[in-house]
Amino acid sequence: GLQRKRAVLAVLLHFLETYKGLLQEEESAGKVIKVGVPFPCPPAQSPAVLALTPLAPQELYLLIMKDTSLYHELEDEIIKLHQLVETVELKVADETPPPNKQVKPLFRHFRRIDSCLQTRVAFRGSDEIFCRVYMPDHSYVTIRSRLSASVQDILASVTEKLQYSEEQSARGDALILVTMASSGEKAVLQPSEECVFTTLGINSHLFACTRDTFDSLVPLPEEIQVVPGDTEIHRAEPEDVANHLTAFHWELFRCIHELEFVDYVFHGERGRRETANLELLLQRCSEVQHWVGTELLLCEGLGKRAHLLKKLIKIAAICKQNQDMLSFYAIVIGLNNAAVSRLRLTWEKLPGKFKNLFRKFENLTDPCRNHKTYREVLAKMKPPLIPFVPLILKDLTFLHEGSKTLLDGLVNVEKLHCIAEKVRTVRKYRSRPLCLELEASPAQLQTKAYVRQLRVIDNQNLLFELSYKLEPGSQ
C-alpha cells in the first residue's frame, strides 16, 4: 500500500512541478487543479497502455493529507505537495495586478533600442503587451492587452480607444480585426481566436476596419517601399554578427518551456496560449532566412555583393562552430532562396574556397534520408547547443499523427513515451549555460541592436523583382 501511494504522489508532484507556471496562469487553477490518479491496468491488458481514472482534486488532496498520520514515511512528499499547491493558489488570492507589472513590447512590432537590448524573458499568456492596431488610413492606436487576449478583447480595447459608439455597431458598422501581410494578403480573424500577436507574420500587422472598408486595405508604405543602401552588416565583423545571433537565439531558445513543444503538436486538442515563446522563435528563424536575401538583394554593386555573400557564408560557419544550428540552417536556407541562387554573376565572383564550403553546408542541410547528415553531426555535439527547432517539431508531428493517443479508450503510453523522449533532448541541449565573450563597446551594442531588430523583406515577389533588376540575364 505504501509503495502504491508513493507512486501516486510521485506522479502528482511531477505534474504540479512541471505545470506550475501554466497552472499559476489559469485563473481557476487554485480552485480546480486538473489531475487524474493513475493505477496499474489489469494483467490481461497491454503493458504499453495505462488507464487513468479522474478523481476530484479536492477529494484527492484531502485523502493524501489524511494519510499523513498513517504513513509517516510520506511526510516529506506531502510537505512538498502542500507547498506546490500553495504556490499555485497564490495567483488567485489577489485578482488585481501589481502596480509596477512589466508590460512587454513584442520584438519586431516595436523597434525600440532600449527594449531590444534587454535580455529576453519568457512570455506567458497572462503577460501584458503593447501592440499597435492600424486603421485603413494607416493611423493607429496603441493598446495594452494580455498576450492570450481574444480577438473580441482586442476589438473592445480598440473600440474604447477610438470611442466607437454602440450606434455605429448597431448600424452594421461593427469593427473587424484583420491581419495584413506586406504582400497585400489579408485575412479576417474570428472573434474567438486567441493569442493572435504571436501568430503574425514577419511584416504583418493588425488592422481594425468595417466590412465595407476591408477591400480598400493596403500594406503600410514602409513594408512595400525598399531603399537600397548599406546597413550594419557591411560594417560589422562576421564574428560579431554570428556571436550576437547565437546569443540572441540562445535567449529565445531558453525561454521555451519543454511543454510548449507538446502543446504545439497537440494544437488541435489544446489552445495556443502555451506556445508563445516557441512561435516567436519560429518567426525569428523565418526572419533570419529572409534577412539573408534582403541584404544581398539590396546590395547593388556586383563586387560588394560578392563580398557580402562571402561574409554571410563565413557567418554561417561561425554559427556552426558556436553550435547554433538554428542560425546556421536559416542562413543556408536564405542563400538557397530562388531569388538569391539565380544571381549567377555574384556566385561566380565567390572564391573557390567559399564555394566548396557552401557545398558542404548544403550537404549538411540536405533533407535526404530524414536529414541523416545533420542528425549525425548533431549527435556528436555536446551542450550547450541550439538545434534547428522546426525539425524537432516535424519529428513530434510524425510521432503524434503516426499513431493514436487513445486506443480503445486507454492511453497509448508507448506513443507518449516516444514524444517525451524527443522533448527530453531539448533539456539536454540546454543543460549547460552558453558562454560567449561579448564586449559592451558602442560598436558592439550597435551590432547587437541590428541583429535583434532585423529589417527584412518577406514578399517573395518583391525579392524576385530586386533580383532581376540586379542581374536581368542570370538563369
Side-chain angles (χ1 to χ4, degrees):
L2 175 64
Q3 288 181 347
R4 294 186 65 170
K5 288 175 184 292
R6 181 162 273 158
V8 170
L9 264 173
V11 172
L12 181 56
L13 289 171
H14 181 67
F15 176 88
L16 288 174
E17 187 67 50
T18 305
Y19 278 94
K20 184 168 60 178
L22 299 177
L23 288 171
Q24 280 180 308
E25 191 177 303
E26 296 291 340
E27 294 178 2
S28 58
K31 301 169 188 173
V32 182
I33 302 168
K34 298 176 182 177
V35 296
V37 186
F39 64 89
C41 50
Q45 294 179 353
S46 167
V49 179
L50 190 71
L52 295 174
T53 297
L55 182 66
Q58 298 92 335
E59 197 179 328
L60 172 61
Y61 186 63
L62 288 173
L63 287 172
I64 292 173
M65 297 310 290
K66 191 184 292 184
D67 279 347
T68 312
S69 57
L70 299 175
Y71 297 91
H72 297 291
E73 298 91 339
L74 300 176
E75 188 174 349
D76 291 343
E77 287 98 328
I78 291 173
I79 289 172
K80 189 176 180 183
L81 171 66
H82 187 66
Q83 290 172 340
L84 282 168
V85 171
E86 277 190 336
T87 303
V88 171
E89 287 181 335
L90 280 177
K91 192 259 178 190
V92 188
D94 184 10
E95 293 293 333
T96 59
N100 296 323
K101 185 173 181 181
Q102 183 185 9
V103 182
K104 307 173 181 179
L106 284 175
F107 72 90
R108 294 185 301 99
H109 297 292
F110 273 80
R111 302 191 180 278
R112 281 180 14 200
I113 297 299
D114 59 335
S115 64
C116 87
L117 292 178
Q118 294 172 1
T119 302
R120 279 282 148 192
V121 294
F123 278 104
R124 288 167 56 183
S126 58
D127 284 337
E128 289 191 322
I129 62 164
F130 285 124
C131 192
R132 289 174 181 168
V133 180
Y134 291 85
M135 303 298 119
D137 63 356
H138 292 168
S139 62
Y140 63 84
V141 293
T142 302
I143 63 167
R144 177 172 172 166
S145 174
R146 285 185 306 140
L147 187 66
S148 59
S150 66
V151 169
Q152 194 170 0
D153 295 333
I154 296 168
L155 285 174
S157 298
V158 173
T159 300
E160 185 180 350
K161 281 263 188 177
L162 294 174
Q163 297 181 334
Y164 206 70
S165 68
E166 291 183 8
E167 287 182 22
Q168 288 170 299
S169 297
R171 290 201 310 265
D173 295 336
L175 293 176
I176 57 174
L177 197 65
V178 178
T179 59
M180 167 73 76
S182 61
S183 61
E185 293 179 24
K186 49 196 173 188
V188 178
L189 297 171
Q190 298 305 311
S192 59
E193 287 187 57
E194 295 184 342
C195 276
V196 297
F197 300 113
T198 55
T199 60
L200 292 173
I202 300 170
N203 290 328
S204 296
H205 297 278
L206 291 176
F207 279 76
C209 66
T210 61
R211 295 276 178 187
D212 293 339
T213 56
F214 174 77
D215 292 333
S216 65
L217 294 181
V218 293
L220 300 178
E222 61 263 32
E223 304 297 357
I224 55 177
Q225 293 174 359
V226 182
V227 181
D230 287 358
T231 59
E232 182 64 23
I233 186 71
H234 294 278
R235 294 183 286 272
E237 292 295 322
E239 293 81 4
D240 296 335
V241 176
N243 288 340
H244 281 294
L245 279 171
T246 300
F248 186 41
H249 296 163
W250 178 255
E251 287 177 23
L252 295 174
F253 184 49
R254 288 282 296 171
C255 286
I256 303 171
H257 195 288
E258 293 167 21
L259 291 168
E260 292 191 43
F261 289 91
V262 180
D263 290 329
Y264 189 91
V265 173
F266 283 75
H267 67 277
E269 296 124 55
R270 297 179 58 83
R272 304 190 71 121
R273 65 186 297 179
E274 295 90 356
T275 62
N277 303 292
L278 176 55
E279 298 211 38
L280 287 174
L281 183 65
L282 294 175
Q283 287 177 9
R284 174 63 178 185
C285 184
S286 177
E287 189 174 44
V288 173
Q289 293 173 33
H290 287 97
W291 161 70
V292 170
T294 301
E295 290 289 7
L296 279 168
L297 295 170
L298 290 180
C299 187
E300 293 183 318
L302 178 58
K304 198 172 185 180
R305 192 163 59 252
H307 183 265
L308 179 56
L309 177 59
K310 173 183 168 182
K311 180 180 278 191
L312 286 166
I313 293 172
K314 194 180 289 186
I315 290 170
I318 298 167
C319 287
K320 179 176 176 289
Q321 188 178 326
N322 289 342
Q323 299 194 145
D324 176 9
M325 302 307 288
L326 184 83
S327 302
F328 168 77
Y329 241 97
I331 293 171
V332 174
I333 291 172
L335 291 173
N336 273 318
N337 185 302
V340 174
S341 61
R342 65 168 296 280
L343 299 174
R344 179 177 55 82
L345 298 177
T346 305
W347 285 94
E348 283 180 355
K349 283 188 73 71
L350 192 67
K353 174 185 172 182
F354 284 88
K355 286 180 183 176
N356 293 332
L357 184 61
F358 185 66
R359 285 194 200 98
K360 289 180 181 178
F361 290 169
E362 286 184 305
N363 291 334
L364 178 52
T365 57
D366 191 339
C368 287
R369 294 192 291 173
N370 195 19
H371 299 267
K372 183 176 181 292
T373 308
Y374 164 75
R375 293 180 193 277
E376 287 175 350
V377 169
L378 198 71
K380 295 175 184 176
M381 292 181 174
K382 295 181 180 179
L385 66 93
I386 308 172
F388 184 55
V389 174
L391 190 55
I392 294 177
L393 293 174
K394 177 189 171 185
D395 291 343
L396 287 172
T397 302
F398 177 80
L399 288 170
H400 176 46
E401 295 181 354
S403 58
K404 293 182 179 179
T405 306
L406 294 174
L407 298 172
D408 299 325
L410 300 177
V411 177
N412 183 356
V413 172
E414 189 173 348
K415 168 185 172 176
L416 300 186
H417 272 310
C418 291
I419 289 175
E421 191 61 36
K422 191 69 188 173
V423 173
R424 252 187 233 109
T425 59
V426 174
R427 187 182 307 171
K428 184 184 79 172
Y429 298 150
R430 304 189 296 201
S431 59
R432 291 185 181 178
L434 178 72
C435 298
L436 279 177
E437 294 183 7
L438 299 172
E439 297 177 13
S441 64
Q444 287 289 333
L445 289 176
Q446 191 173 351
T447 303
K448 181 178 180 180
Y450 163 75
V451 163
R452 289 172 177 241
Q453 293 204 324
L454 301 172
R455 288 188 179 272
V456 304
I457 301 169
D458 63 339
N459 183 344
Q460 189 63 31
N461 289 332
L462 185 52
L463 290 175
F464 268 118
E465 284 180 26
L466 292 168
S467 180
Y468 279 101
K469 186 179 177 182
L470 292 172
E471 296 187 25
S474 296
Q475 296 297 321

